[in-house]
Amino acid sequence: MADSYEPSSSLSFTSSSYTNGSQSCNMSTSSASEALPSLEVISLNKLSSNLAQLLVDDGCDYTDAEIIVEGVSVGIHRCILSARSRFFHDLFQKDEKPLIEDSKPKYHMDELLPYGKVGYEAFLILLSYLYTGKLKSSPADVSTCVDNSCAHDACGPAIDFAVQLTYASYIFQIPELVSLFQRHLLNYAAKILAENVIQILVVAFHCQLGPLVTQCIDRIARSDLDSVSLEKELPYEVAESIKLVRLKSQSGDEQNLVPDISPCDKRIKRIRQALDSDDVELMKLLLSESDVTLDEANALHYAAAYCDPKTVSEVLNLSLADINLRNSCGYTVLHVAAMRKDPSVIISLLDKGAWPFDLTLDGRTAANICRRSTRPKDYHAKTEPGQEANKDRLCIDMLEREMWRNPPTTDSSILSLAMADDLHMKLLYLENRVAIARIIFPTEARLAMDIANADTTSEFSGLSIPKVSNKNLREVDLNETPSMQNKRFISRMQALMKTGYSCLTFSFFVS
């Protein structure tokens, strides 16, 4: 940082200000020394506040240039940025763009970055720091997810925003922030899922953050992530470093580190290369000439993660793979598609029988995966007429609608406590819809409920319905196991949804 202050030099005037003895002089000097740092703090805070007004004051626009970030124009003051960042100093100094009369020079963020991206909110935080010297907290709508059960300390948006801030600090040459954000990413890398470490490793490699690169490589090397996927998502030298670490740990012989690629691995790689080329016919030919199956190659997982949606559909139509197969990390094809968040891929899988209730090893459904990788800003974004639908919300809605439409049968595998809570909330929603129906249309609702054999027990004040035979959802039975509780919830939900009369009653209020 160029800013430095030397309070001691400003005290030289005190030695000649008093002549009433050395003791008096020393006391005055001591008092001034104590008062001056406070004055400096006040002055610096005032300066910071005044400069902050330049970013928020719409009354007078003193900006002399603009940077376009995600389609939004951000006004900047080149003199301030030049003084605070060597990157901007060099950028504005070499800029030879001819100025149009009454126009400001414009810069596009995408053109300033050699790779990757920096979003609007991340850039505003960096800009605020350059103006004020103070780091603002991350806005919740871009640094948290829409899963209410998430602590937001290691979800997708939180990691992505930290990665953006680290990258922007490096590109704009703000070393103190690079050091700060690297420590944050080191904490993330130690506790997040291995597949989420990949994006941290990418930015660490490009920003030359040695300690972070080492920790991420070690973490991924000890995971079950397959080498072919790492080659798709990581720079070549990084992927090779991970393979080398794995070979060392497996062989223990540093002299013989030549990877042993089996014939089966070679065939699997060729099958995936055919998928990369969207050549399903070539893939079928490779399958017919070898003893490798689509399941052994995890071809559906690979296609759902990296291939064109049309290719995914064509592979599904072959009916040669188990759509609910789990890979080495315990993910089904639908889990992988939820990470990608492509609506067309998800709907193709659901149409072919992908089971939305399947849980990952850490207890997440595909809908949970989507929610934990979706920002509130994207989920709640309004879609104007004629615009493309919001993909993030569309993926979540499709998966949750499928879970509502086809609840698991009572003999399904034991669900997690989180799933039980989710079923509980869905059941409350259905029951209270019916409670409203019984108030507004009592005769029709009663007929529908009699046919469905479902009695409502609303938990909202003002909508209390007499309890008949079924147990109140809020009652606690210490002898009831989680499995028994799940079966009770599912049975009740099926009773609410199984008749046409009930569905007709719901449609009056959902529509």
Side-chain angles (χ1 to χ4, degrees):
M1 295 290 293
D3 300 339
S4 61
Y5 301 91
E6 299 178 354
S8 59
S9 63
S10 62
L11 298 179
S12 59
F13 73 94
T14 60
S15 61
S16 58
S17 298
Y18 299 93
T19 57
N20 295 332
S22 60
Q23 183 177 1
S24 176
C25 179
N26 290 338
M27 292 177 62
S28 299
T29 302
S30 176
S31 300
S33 298
E34 293 175 359
L36 195 55
S38 297
L39 178 61
E40 286 185 351
V41 170
I42 294 173
S43 177
L44 289 174
N45 284 334
K46 187 69 173 178
L47 176 62
S48 178
S49 299
N50 291 340
L51 291 174
Q53 289 300 312
L54 294 175
L55 295 173
V56 299
D57 190 1
D58 296 330
C60 298
D61 182 11
Y62 300 110
T63 61
D64 57 3
E66 295 177 353
I67 296 181
I68 312 300
V69 189
E70 294 183 335
V72 181
S73 177
V74 180
I76 60 171
H77 304 77
R78 286 181 290 176
C79 59
I80 295 177
L81 296 190
S82 296
R84 295 281 283 147
S85 165
R86 189 70 192 180
F87 172 87
F88 286 112
H89 176 273
D90 295 342
L91 174 68
F92 300 144
Q93 187 178 50
K94 70 180 181 180
D95 184 23
E96 299 177 354
K97 294 180 180 179
L99 292 179
I100 304 175
E101 188 176 354
D102 298 329
S103 178
K104 302 174 184 177
K106 293 185 179 180
Y107 304 87
H108 291 266
M109 179 62 71
D110 293 341
E111 298 175 359
L112 301 180
L113 305 176
Y115 42 80
K117 73 164 190 175
V118 173
Y120 174 73
E121 290 81 7
F123 177 65
L124 287 188
I125 285 186
L126 267 293
L127 194 64
S128 175
Y129 176 79
L130 291 175
Y131 274 65
T132 68
K134 297 180 180 179
L135 190 62
K136 297 171 62 177
S137 59
S138 301
D141 64 335
V142 292
S143 61
T144 63
C145 67
V146 294
D147 187 346
N148 294 330
S149 64
C150 179
H152 307 306
D153 59 345
C155 57
I159 298 168
D160 182 64
F161 198 71
V163 164
Q164 288 188 43
L165 290 174
T166 306
Y167 180 47
S169 301
Y170 174 80
I171 293 298
F172 300 145
Q173 299 179 27
I174 314 174
E176 66 274 21
L177 289 189
V178 174
S179 178
L180 173 66
F181 294 134
Q182 179 178 208
R183 291 196 295 272
H184 289 329
L185 293 181
L186 282 167
N187 290 332
Y188 278 131
K191 63 182 179 182
I192 61 177
L193 297 171
E195 59 266 20
N196 293 334
V197 177
I198 289 178
Q199 66 180 123
I200 296 179
L201 179 52
V202 170
V203 74
F205 171 76
H206 287 305
C207 297
Q208 304 174 24
L209 305 178
L212 186 56
V213 169
T214 301
Q215 178 169 324
C216 290
I217 287 178
D218 180 67
R219 177 72 198 284
I220 294 176
R222 290 185 285 106
S223 73
D224 294 326
L225 296 177
D226 63 279
S227 298
V228 177
S229 298
L230 296 180
E231 291 171 0
K232 292 283 293 184
E233 301 184 39
L234 291 171
Y236 173 79
E237 49 265 61
V238 177
E240 290 300 308
S241 297
I242 293 173
K243 293 179 184 178
L244 188 62
V245 172
R246 286 178 170 175
L247 285 172
K248 288 181 179 179
S249 63
Q250 292 170 1
S251 65
D253 182 8
E254 298 190 10
Q255 302 300 322
N256 184 21
L257 294 177
V258 179
D260 183 17
I261 303 177
S262 66
C264 181
D265 289 337
K266 292 180 180 178
R267 297 187 190 104
I268 289 174
K269 188 171 184 178
R270 286 196 290 267
I271 290 172
R272 291 181 173 182
Q273 288 173 340
L275 289 172
D276 284 334
S277 303
D278 298 323
D279 195 338
V280 178
E281 291 301 319
L282 175 59
M283 184 199 71
K284 290 167 60 178
L285 179 62
L286 293 171
L287 288 172
S288 64
E289 294 178 349
S290 70
D291 56 353
V292 177
T293 66
L294 286 181
D295 287 345
E296 291 172 335
N298 281 327
L300 265 182
H301 290 83
Y302 187 85
Y306 305 114
C307 297
D308 186 90
K310 182 180 178 182
T311 301
V312 178
S313 181
E314 290 178 0
V315 175
L316 285 171
N317 289 335
L318 296 177
S319 300
L320 297 176
D322 179 1
I323 197 170
N324 293 310
L325 179 73
R326 293 181 182 271
N327 63 11
S328 60
C329 297
Y331 294 129
T332 66
V333 183
L334 190 60
H335 292 151
V336 173
M339 296 174 190
R340 177 178 175 176
K341 291 195 296 187
D342 188 314
S344 57
V345 173
I346 290 176
I347 197 65
S348 295
L349 293 172
L350 292 175
D351 285 344
K352 290 295 184 178
W355 188 231
F357 285 95
D358 277 337
L359 302 176
T360 62
L361 297 180
D362 59 341
R364 293 173 297 153
T365 64
N368 294 143
I369 291 173
C370 270
R371 280 192 168 275
R372 293 203 177 186
S373 62
T374 300
R375 309 181 302 177
K377 175 184 177 180
D378 301 324
Y379 184 79
H380 298 294
K382 294 183 178 178
T383 303
E384 299 296 332
Q387 287 185 342
E388 186 178 359
N390 185 306
K391 289 186 176 181
D392 296 88
R393 180 157 193 163
L394 190 57
C395 289
I396 295 171
D397 288 348
M398 284 193 303
L399 289 166
E400 293 186 341
R401 188 180 301 117
E402 186 68 16
M403 294 171 74
W404 278 58
R405 216 162 49 89
N406 297 306
T409 58
T410 54
D411 59 350
S412 63
S413 60
I414 296 176
L415 301 177
S416 67
L417 292 176
M419 179 63 71
D421 290 340
D422 190 47
L423 287 174
H424 190 176
M425 294 307 298
K426 288 178 170 60
L427 184 52
L428 290 179
Y429 175 82
L430 286 175
E431 291 201 335
N432 284 282
R433 286 290 187 180
V434 176
I436 296 174
R438 292 189 65 180
I439 292 173
I440 301 176
F441 304 107
T443 304
E444 293 85 347
R446 185 66 261 174
L447 177 61
M449 297 311 297
D450 286 343
I451 294 175
N453 191 26
D455 298 302
T456 61
T457 55
S458 173
E459 297 190 13
F460 290 87
S461 59
L463 292 178
S464 179
I465 303 298
K467 296 179 276 291
V468 184
S469 59
N470 282 5
K471 186 183 301 183
N472 191 323
L473 290 174
R474 294 184 72 94
E475 291 179 357
V476 178
D477 185 350
L478 298 179
N479 295 320
E480 185 179 44
T481 65
S483 177
M484 293 168 61
Q485 185 185 61
N486 291 334
K487 290 180 179 180
R488 176 163 59 87
F489 288 168
I490 294 166
S491 176
R492 196 159 178 78
M493 185 180 295
Q494 289 173 333
L496 287 169
M497 300 181 70
K498 73 178 182 180
T499 70
Y501 287 104
S502 294
C503 292
L504 179 60
T505 303
F506 301 150
S507 67
F508 281 125
F509 301 96
V510 175
S511 60

